[in-house]
Amino acid sequence: DAKTTQPTSMDCAEGRAANLPCNHSTISGNEYVYWYRQIHSQGPQYIIHGLKNNETNEMASLIITEDRKSSTLILPHATLRDTAVYYCIVRGGATNKLIFGTGTLLAVQP
Amino acid sequence: GAVVSQHPSWVICKSGTSVKIECRSLDFQATTMFWYRQFPKQSLMLMATSNEGSKATYEQGVEKDKFLINHASLTLSTLTVTSAHPEDSSFYICSARDYIDTQYFGPGTRLTVL
């Protein structure tokens, strides 16, 4: 069962930052937050993951609240190629599997 | 990031035939690989976990005799859909976990059963 809640869809203007929220209020202490995205008819692409500290890589930043019950994925300068379904997934603990929910469809507008 | 390939990228077969899909980790070794299935306009559904040198673990509701998984080496896992029927038509995606436990996905295989 997916353990996260995400908005169904979001729009973002090209060149602006895209902020994608995710709620994971039942997250356990040893579970990580992972973000993937899926462009239409392709396999999911790994973006970033974190445990409790904020993380940044060449693709995005991940901001995790202090209580770890929610997080935000930030794409600093969205482009049209960032249009995709973004999945926030909690993984770890006993099952340690990536279970996909419905994700957020991010539409970057020109 | 790490690269995972799948072959074929698409396949069309007749009802009753078997189809084999290969998943390879190209630049890393993967003791654990996963198989997912995705129907149109739906999310990915985990089918099974494949561990190198041992039997796969199937998710509830997935028929192990229909979806045969073999993980004979650290870079190759195969999924065979046996006696395929039109309802098996789907997008099959594999993934592999690297040594720091990050999971990378293949590009997917589109199966159409006529």
Side-chain angles (χ1 to χ4, degrees):
Chain A
D1 296 332
K3 301 169 69 173
T4 63
T5 304
Q6 299 178 254
T8 303
S9 63
M10 292 180 63
D11 286 347
C12 176
E14 189 178 18
R16 304 297 294 269
N19 296 276
L20 292 93
C22 179
N23 287 320
H24 31 80
S25 58
T26 61
I27 192 170
S28 300
N30 59 354
E31 291 179 318
Y32 286 75
V33 179
Y34 282 80
W35 283 85
Y36 286 80
R37 72 181 182 184
Q38 186 179 27
I39 296 170
H40 184 61
S41 295
Q42 297 182 23
Q45 178 187 20
Y46 166 77
I47 301 173
I48 199 167
H49 75 279
L51 182 63
K52 56 182 180 180
N53 297 322
N54 297 337
E55 302 287 341
T56 296
N57 62 21
E58 64 278 5
M59 288 184 68
S61 294
L62 174 60
I63 308 299
I64 303 175
T65 57
E66 193 168 341
D67 63 7
R68 301 186 69 235
K69 293 185 177 181
S70 66
S71 60
T72 301
L73 178 74
I74 301 172
L75 307 179
H77 304 288
T79 70
L80 297 178
R81 289 183 293 179
D82 291 323
T83 293
V85 178
Y86 287 76
Y87 296 98
C88 168
I89 305 170
V90 168
R91 193 197 113 190
T95 59
N96 203 24
K97 302 175 188 176
L98 278 178
I99 305 299
F100 285 77
T102 54
T104 296
L105 173 59
L106 174 68
V108 180
Q109 309 290 344
Chain B
V3 179
V4 177
S5 71
Q6 281 185 242
H7 179 79
S9 55
W10 59 271
V11 57
I12 301 173
C13 70
K14 293 182 179 180
S15 185
T17 61
S18 294
V19 174
K20 180 185 283 188
I21 302 170
E22 292 186 350
C23 175
R24 295 181 185 273
S25 55
L26 297 185
D27 51 0
F28 66 101
Q29 293 184 329
T31 55
T32 306
M33 290 185 171
F34 304 84
W35 288 95
Y36 292 78
R37 179 168 56 180
Q38 185 174 33
F39 292 108
K41 298 188 178 182
Q42 293 186 22
S43 189
L44 284 78
M45 185 193 79
L46 178 64
M47 299 175 66
T49 301
S50 167
N51 292 299
E52 187 265 336
S54 64
K55 291 184 178 180
T57 304
Y58 291 82
E59 296 298 304
Q60 191 172 7
V62 178
E63 301 175 57
K64 62 179 182 180
D65 294 330
K66 181 167 185 61
F67 299 100
L68 301 180
I69 292 172
N70 184 278
H71 191 162
S73 79
L74 289 173
T75 59
L76 173 64
S77 176
T78 60
L79 169 69
T80 301
V81 183
T82 62
S83 186
H85 289 95
E87 58 266 29
D88 298 322
S89 297
S90 189
F91 192 47
Y92 291 86
I93 309 168
C94 74
S95 72
R97 194 176 282 175
D98 70 3
Y99 73 99
I100 58 171
D101 219 26
T102 300
Q103 215 167 303
Y104 295 93
F105 287 79
T109 297
R110 175 108 19 223
L111 170 63
T112 302
V113 184
L114 302 177

